Amino acid sequence: MCAEAGARDSSQGLEDLNKFIRIGNRSLLIKGHSGTGKVTLALELASKNMDKFQIIFLSRKTSEHDLYNRFPWIKNFVKPENILSVSGIEPLLDDPSFAISNVISSITNLTGKVEDPFVSLSERRRPFIILDAWDTISKEIDVATRIRTEKLLISLTDKHVGFLVFLSEDVETSTMEYLVDGVVLLTQSFYKSYRLREMQLDKLKGTHISRAKVPFTLAGGRFRTFSRLSHKIAESVSKFRPIQHSRTSFSSGNAELDEKLRGGFKRGSIISIEMDEEVDRFVFVPILAPLALNFIMQGDASLVIPAADQHVTSVTRYLAPHADEKVLKKCLRILGGSDSPSADRPAYLVPRTSKTFLEAYESWKKSYFELGREKNGCLITSDYSFVELEYQDEMQSILKSIIELSRLVRSSNDLLVMVSRPNYKSLEVMKSVSDIHLRIFEYDGATMLAAIKPQMFLYNVQTDYSQGFPSAALVDST
Amino acid sequence: MTEHEDQVHDNNDVEALPALDKDRFEEQTIGGETGYFDKVEKLFISKRSFRTLMEELLPSRDSSSSHPELDLDIILQKSRSRVSRNLKLVGSLGKDSYSQVFLSYLSRSFLLKNRNRRETMAILYVDLVGSTAMTAVLSPDQLVNIVRIFCQEMSIMISGRRGYVLKYAGDAVIGYFPNDPDTKAACESATRCAFDMKRMIEYSLNVVLLQYGYPKLRTRIAVDVGENQILVLGSDPDLLGHVISRAAKIMGRARPNQIVIGGNVFKNIGKDLRGRFTEIEKYNLVETGESYPVYRSGD
């Protein structure tokens, strides 16, 4: 199933790291400023390897209570007795040598527990030690001692076939980087009011790094990587299950998106989508196909004006299998398909016969009026950047049409979704007239959907065919 | 109280435990639970689990008799529960249970305490019959698990009769019973243990194994008595003497599910037990050239 493939993809960044651990490496340095997700990543790696290791968390600043509060999902693999909080309440505990001796003791005296004295003892789990804020300890000792200590810890971990994770807020290159088997850097940047996180795999000894930079989120207190957009579609097809429109709004066909949009797209609103050049056009499948299907499956209308370069089947294959023939005939119109013989052409395909933009635009309006008759709502989707390319001599008319079409849609309480790309004139006009402006862009290979006007969300978009019809798996970038 | 129980019990209160070796067992509280940290195994066992361990390994607390009547119904009930718990683990090729680790510790402690001494002891040898044939119908995981269950249950029975587990030899378990207070007591304990084992196989292991769709187990058991030299080879204590090899050899005279005992055992057991054996063809002792009488139990 596609969702499974998507799930595998989403952990691709962690797959490299897990492989790095499985092949017998012994140490990893995770560095990044405060709040970049170091502890979450270390715990996520621990959770993936809990069958082989016993997880020990040693920190100077995080107590057992804090850790369980922040990460309730770790309770089944990080036992309370393995959370060693070396706090500064007692001056003695604040001494770096005390913290270091605790680490050494954790590596060498790993305690297993006899749960049932009469059943086979499981294989001794090896120590997987997460050493939080190593630099707070190491900064209090001189350089030579620090290097000796780091060497000692790594060598002890090696002897006990364990795995040691150093977490450090010092992002500069240090001697530690030469000692450890792997180095990962976590960073964050900001786009508008949104946060974008990135994991950079600097060094993973003996491991092929399939993606050196992996975007991720900490949504829900978990470390989830963003994957490349999956093109896999359903092996078994199902009819689309619509989400009811409300009196005031049209559902986007995606419950999560509706919630962020506070109930969906308002009736009579104009949506502009700015799509960066490098974005895979397949992203329309998880975003626009459910929107169109959601209209037609509840008896409303959908008029699709695809990009002129595309064969009509590149649209129909994501819509037609998920609705009944009768519904398609009554509620859907796709402009295109002039190369099909009329006898074979489905009723929902409107042939392209126009030579000029004005002729084309008249045919759009004709289809819109015919289709929208006796319906409670009509969706129009159009890729205006390709309209610009196709009718370059009629720029004024094209730009005017955006305004006129918007006015028509607003007065009929319908919904207009227009797509354009940077450096196209239509984009600027669209941005001006639209109520909601969305931007789709690539971030380290992952496809992101941002609400720019108003600023409501930044999502990673993934194709989800787990229900047998096109849908979007949306993950908040937080 | 026997020396065996004395090693782990000062009295019946487990909270007041134990005469455990403090170099090995350290009282600790981990995750709010008090118990013992086994420094050798690097394992923590709570006092609650330790109490269960003691109750099942050493069910007899009646020190007034050398051969207390064990409540076999309770023992078999507990055995069935253990076997069932272990059978659910098929597929996890782990290690021995902590009970086996602990029995090994008890034996080792006894032998080290009596190192370099010659002691008369009854030796019990229990062997699983047909384990090679079982490889044809069981997966390696299943076979390993069943052999391990067999070894544990036989070991617990040995311990219950105040014996010690000397070692596991493939699919056989070798136990020894010190002459405490005398050779008659050792022979009586070992022979009664052999009959208890038969009942354990029939009413516990085979009952549960059948429930899980596994073949029945069959055993041969031999008991003999004689002097053994306790010695330490490297760091591991062991027994040296011809009694162990004699027990192994006379075991060949037993048919599946039978018990054989040597003439020296027969002389030292009570009338009621003797009545359960008949003499069979003598065994020629290579060491002395004499014929050694061997007795076999009914089926």
Side-chain angles (χ1 to χ4, degrees), chain B residues 128-131 134 137-138 146 150 201-211 213-219 257:
Chain B
L128 195 57
V129 177
S131 59
M134 285 164 76
V137 289
L138 298 174
I146 286 172
F150 165 77
I201 297 285
E202 188 176 354
Y203 298 112
S204 170
L205 276 97
N206 282 346
V207 170
V208 185
L209 285 171
L210 270 181
Q211 284 171 359
Y214 291 113
K216 279 183 170 184
L217 302 185
R218 295 183 304 163
T219 56
N257 295 332

Side-chain angles (χ1 to χ4, degrees), chain A residues 80-81 107-124 160, chain B residues 30 33 37 41-44 53 56 82 85-86 89 94-99 148 152:
Chain A
E81 62 266 27
I107 298 169
T108 54
N109 293 319
L110 193 59
T111 307
K113 189 178 174 187
V114 179
E115 301 291 349
D116 180 341
F118 297 100
V119 301
S120 164
L121 291 167
S122 50
E123 282 300 319
R124 173 74 43 77
H160 289 82
Chain B
I30 292 183
E33 241 183 333
F37 176 63
E41 294 296 321
K42 291 189 176 163
L43 283 169
F44 172 81
L53 183 72
E56 298 192 30
R82 289 190 301 264
R85 295 203 303 273
N86 274 287
L89 289 177
K95 303 188 294 185
D96 287 347
S97 68
Y98 193 72
S99 77
R148 196 168 49 216
Q152 169 168 274

Side-chain angles (χ1 to χ4, degrees), chain A residues 340-397:
Chain A
S340 311
S342 59
D344 300 340
R345 197 166 50 229
Y348 56 81
L349 289 186
V350 179
R352 293 163 58 94
T353 51
S354 48
K355 295 219 167 18
T356 67
F357 172 70
L358 284 174
E359 283 173 18
Y361 181 54
E362 284 309 312
S363 77
W364 297 2
K365 285 196 290 187
K366 186 169 173 256
S367 294
Y368 171 49
F369 293 140
E370 283 173 5
L371 192 61
R373 205 178 296 144
E374 295 171 15
K375 305 279 191 321
N376 287 325
C378 182
L379 163 74
I380 306 176
T381 55
S382 170
D383 192 331
Y384 258 96
S385 41
F386 279 88
V387 174
E388 273 191 58
L389 287 175
E390 193 176 7
Y391 305 105
Q392 293 178 24
D393 298 340
E394 297 175 84
M395 190 56 69
Q396 287 300 97
S397 303

Side-chain angles (χ1 to χ4, degrees), chain B residues 49-280:
Chain B
S49 293
F50 196 77
R51 185 182 297 115
T52 311
L53 183 72
M54 289 301 102
E55 282 167 2
E56 298 192 30
L57 293 186
L58 307 167
S60 165
R61 302 286 173 82
D62 178 10
S63 58
S64 61
S65 164
S66 301
H67 313 296
E69 277 310 311
L70 298 177
D71 190 338
L72 210 60
D73 283 344
I74 291 178
I75 289 173
L76 292 177
Q77 193 186 341
K78 287 180 176 173
S79 168
R80 283 192 290 269
S81 166
R82 289 190 301 264
V83 174
S84 187
R85 295 203 303 273
N86 274 287
L87 279 178
K88 287 175 187 158
L89 289 177
V90 170
S92 72
L93 281 174
K95 303 188 294 185
D96 287 347
S97 68
Y98 193 72
S99 77
Q100 288 164 285
V101 169
F102 194 77
L103 287 174
S104 164
Y105 155 74
L106 290 179
S107 171
R108 185 182 160 82
S109 302
F110 175 84
L111 295 176
L112 287 175
K113 196 171 165 187
N114 294 287
R115 60 164 67 187
N116 302 329
R117 286 172 63 173
R118 284 182 79 79
E119 290 285 339
T120 299
M121 293 178 184
I123 301 293
L124 181 148
Y125 215 113
V126 54
D127 184 36
L128 195 57
V129 177
S131 59
T132 313
M134 285 164 76
T135 56
V137 289
L138 298 174
S139 71
D141 292 9
Q142 290 170 327
L143 185 63
V144 167
N145 205 24
I146 286 172
V147 170
R148 196 168 49 216
I149 291 168
F150 165 77
C151 289
Q152 169 168 274
E153 294 309 302
M154 296 302 104
S155 303
I156 290 172
M157 210 36 128
I158 291 169
S159 176
R161 283 289 179 189
R162 300 180 177 182
Y164 293 93
V165 178
L166 180 66
K167 63 176 86 165
Y168 300 123
D171 52 9
V173 182
I174 306 169
Y176 62 94
F177 296 77
N179 56 347
D180 179 18
D182 51 31
T183 307
K184 280 184 187 303
C187 291
E188 191 87 13
S189 288
T191 310
R192 284 182 190 279
C193 180
F195 282 107
D196 291 344
M197 283 173 165
K198 273 191 70 178
R199 275 186 276 182
M200 191 178 241
I201 297 285
E202 188 176 354
Y203 298 112
S204 170
L205 276 97
N206 282 346
V207 170
V208 185
L209 285 171
L210 270 181
Q211 284 171 359
Y212 281 79
Y214 291 113
K216 279 183 170 184
L217 302 185
R218 295 183 304 163
T219 56
R220 286 183 302 190
I221 308 173
V223 181
D224 204 357
V225 69
E227 274 199 343
N228 292 276
Q229 176 69 45
I230 301 171
L231 76 169
V232 180
L233 296 167
S235 60
D236 295 323
D238 206 346
L239 292 180
L240 199 64
H242 62 274
V243 187
I244 292 180
S245 59
R246 198 167 67 202
K249 282 167 186 163
I250 66 170
M251 195 168 61
R253 301 289 177 86
R255 293 198 206 104
N257 295 332
Q258 282 189 334
I259 300 166
V260 290
I261 57 173
N264 293 344
V265 175
F266 189 79
K267 279 190 283 185
N268 280 292
I269 54 177
K271 202 174 166 185
D272 62 322
L273 277 179
R274 280 208 299 267
R276 300 170 78 169
F277 290 93
T278 49
E279 189 173 358
I280 54 172

